[in-house]
């Protein structure tokens, strides 16, 4: 075929086939066949016909941040293929973790191999849900029990995975290739750590006095505790999780006090102007932000409430205290197998391209890993990491199968003022305001070479705009 061959026209039947598009910010897949009925798009709505102001139902970016997606087909169950090192009693792959990362690895492995034995071990129920939904559930009128997308047992059947739930992985024997859990010991040929990270608690926040909301079960318990009436909630930490939760609980009528050591919310991610804009948007909600403070301690009071004491002598009364002070992967499993662990960012050290740990047959992905000294606690990379691990386990060394970290849009899902940042978030460079109207704030960040290295858009939702006279 010469280089000048014109593109081949697709047959009419292909033209009509429904396509899929993936959100680059959160991994949500828009399927034209299914549409987004909750978002006003009936089944069969073509991507091209979606209005520009339609928002991703999971994270809220617009269609400009979607790209075409082709879901790999599951292979038909076939006679087991003979693989090197795989006898009749092959224990196959054991995955530790029943969150998105664990299931994505199971899916990616199954896409490559219909016969591979796969076992998924989870400390929780392993039901499938989209974690970003936890930040916006009240705004979207979602009861916690409606957040589950698929029951673990159904997913296990669909992917032909052996499921061991409510089992805590205790230790790895890297030589005997076993994993000890609270529900028995499992053998593995390849092991994948997908157990996520846990909230990091400063000494001033005793675990029995504070909520930590990092999974659906904990979120559901918090919502149950808050359900009877509006309550006073103190949230410690005004990063992404703290701000999104403050916004959502305040929409639910709770009086939120948001505390941070930094003088403004989202100080590590946003320029000052954008933080101020968010505070202004919160003026209509029962949120009090108190910045530049250090929590000294949380004490239970006789009436069942709590007293949050600050280092400067002030104190706040609270019915509930939520810690949103960051995450760190638990290091117990990694240490038991003598895997390298990055203490600073709290993650198992992996090789970037293959997500292989220091042990050649143990991989790790998602919230529990450190790639190049950085933890990546976002949803988007997980699917690509899972496919890279599946490729490495299958012995596929095609560079196209390797994991490559990419810059993805950052979406702050504070529904009173959602904010999207594209490009460089940390590092040097100055932000400047490009447009500032009651509806919208647009900013650009200029790097050392004088080029734009990041952009920011904060758009007030139509409902909260002051009405025209
Ligand atoms: Fe999204």
């Amino acid at each position: 075929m010469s280089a000048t061959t014109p593109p081949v026209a697709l047959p009419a039947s292909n033209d009509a086939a429904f396509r899929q598009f993936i959100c680059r910010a959160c991994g949500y897949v828009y399927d034209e066949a299914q549409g987004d009925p909750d978002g006003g798009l009936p089944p069969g709505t073509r991507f091209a016909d979606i209005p520009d102001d339609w928002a991703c139902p999971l994270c809220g970016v617009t269609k400009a941040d979607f790209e075409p997606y082709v879901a790999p087909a599951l292979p038909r169950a076939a006679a087991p293929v003979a693989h090197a090192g795989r006898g009749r009693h092959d224990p196959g792959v054991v995955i530790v973790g029943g969150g998105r990362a664990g299931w994505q690895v199971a899916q990616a492995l199954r896409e490559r191999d219909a016969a591979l034995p796969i076992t998924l071990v989870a400390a929780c129920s392993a039901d499938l849900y989209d974690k970003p939904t936890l930040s916006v559930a009240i705004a979207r009128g979602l009861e916690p029990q409606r957040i589950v997308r698929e029951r673990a047992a159904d997913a296990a059947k669909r992917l032909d995975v052996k499921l061991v739930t409510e089992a805590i992985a205790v230790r790895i024997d890297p030589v005997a290739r076993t994993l000890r859990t609270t529900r028995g010991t499992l053998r593995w040929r390849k092991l994948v750590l997908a157990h996520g990270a846990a909230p990091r608690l400063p000494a001033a926040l005793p675990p029995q006095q504070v909520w930590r909301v990092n999974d659906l079960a904990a979120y559901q318990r918090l919502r149950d505790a808050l359900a009877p009436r509006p309550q006073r909630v103190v949230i410690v930490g005004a990063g992404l999780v703290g701000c999104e939760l403050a916004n959502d609980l305040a929409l639910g009528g709770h009086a939120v006090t948001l505390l941070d050591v930094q003088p403004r919310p989202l100080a590590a991610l946003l320029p000052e102007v954008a933080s101020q804009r968010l505070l202004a948007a919160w003026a209509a909600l029962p949120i009090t932000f108190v910045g530049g403070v250090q929590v000294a301690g949380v004490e239970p009071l006789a009436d069942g409430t709590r007293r949050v004491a600050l280092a400067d002598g002030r104190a706040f009364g609270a019915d509930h205290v939520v810690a949103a002070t960051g995450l760190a992967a638990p290091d117990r499993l990694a240490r038991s197998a003598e895997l390298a662990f990055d203490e600073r960012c709290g993650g198992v050290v992996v090789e970037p391209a293959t997500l292989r740990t220091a042990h050649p047959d143990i991989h790790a992905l998602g919230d529990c890993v450190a790639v190049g000294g950085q933890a990546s606690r976002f949803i988007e990379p997980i699917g690509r990491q899972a496919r890279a691990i599946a490729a490495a386990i299958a012995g596929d060394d095609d560079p196209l199968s390797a994991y490559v970290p990419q810059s993805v849009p950052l979406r702050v899902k504070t529904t009173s003022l959602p904010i999207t940042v594209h490009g460089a978030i940390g590092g040097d460079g100055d932000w400047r305001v490009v447009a500032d109207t009651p509806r919208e704030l647009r900013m650009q960040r200029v790097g050392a070479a004088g080029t734009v290295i990041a952009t920011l858009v904060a758009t007030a939702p139509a409902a909260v705009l002051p009405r025209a006279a």
Side-chain angles (χ1 to χ4, degrees), residues 103 107 125-129 147-159:
W103 283 114
Q107 165 104 26
S125 69
D127 289 337
L128 284 81
Y129 68 98
I147 294 174
V148 170
R149 265 198 302 116
E150 187 180 17
R151 293 281 163 203
D154 297 331
K157 201 169 158 197
R158 174 169 60 82
L159 295 171

Side-chain angles (χ1 to χ4, degrees), residues 23-28 56-61 66:
C23 173
R24 292 196 303 120
C26 76
Y28 166 83
C56 168
L58 223 51
C59 76
V61 299
F66 278 69

Side-chain angles (χ1 to χ4, degrees), residues 44 79 89 109 113 169 201 208 269 305 323 345 412 431 454:
H89 301 291
L109 290 167
D113 188 337
L201 283 188
Q208 61 283 16
L269 299 173
T305 66
C345 67
V412 184
W431 285 97

Side-chain angles (χ1 to χ4, degrees), residues 42-77:
T45 304
R46 295 294 182 178
F47 187 76
D49 298 330
I50 296 177
D52 288 338
D53 61 355
W54 171 79
C56 168
L58 223 51
C59 76
V61 299
T62 59
K63 67 185 272 195
D65 280 315
F66 278 69
E67 63 190 23
Y69 175 71
V70 178
L74 291 184
R76 281 163 199 280

Side-chain angles (χ1 to χ4, degrees), residues 101-185:
W103 283 114
Q104 293 261 315
V105 170
Q107 165 104 26
L109 290 167
R110 188 55 78 221
E111 280 160 5
R112 283 184 171 264
D113 188 337
L116 175 70
I118 304 173
T119 305
L120 187 142
V121 183
C124 58
S125 69
D127 289 337
L128 284 81
Y129 68 98
D130 297 307
K131 205 192 270 187
T133 308
L134 301 186
S135 301
V136 293
I138 293 178
R140 289 178 44 199
L142 268 183
E143 290 304 319
Q145 57 273 20
R146 281 192 50 216
I147 294 174
V148 170
R149 265 198 302 116
E150 187 180 17
R151 293 281 163 203
D154 297 331
K157 201 169 158 197
R158 174 169 60 82
L159 295 171
D160 187 18
V161 164
K162 183 180 168 215
L163 187 61
V164 185
T165 59
E166 316 292 345
I168 297 166
V170 182
R171 59 173 295 124
I172 299 165
D173 184 328
V175 179
R177 293 173 187 253
T178 57
L179 172 74
R180 204 170 116 206
T181 80
T182 50
R183 291 189 59 194
T185 297

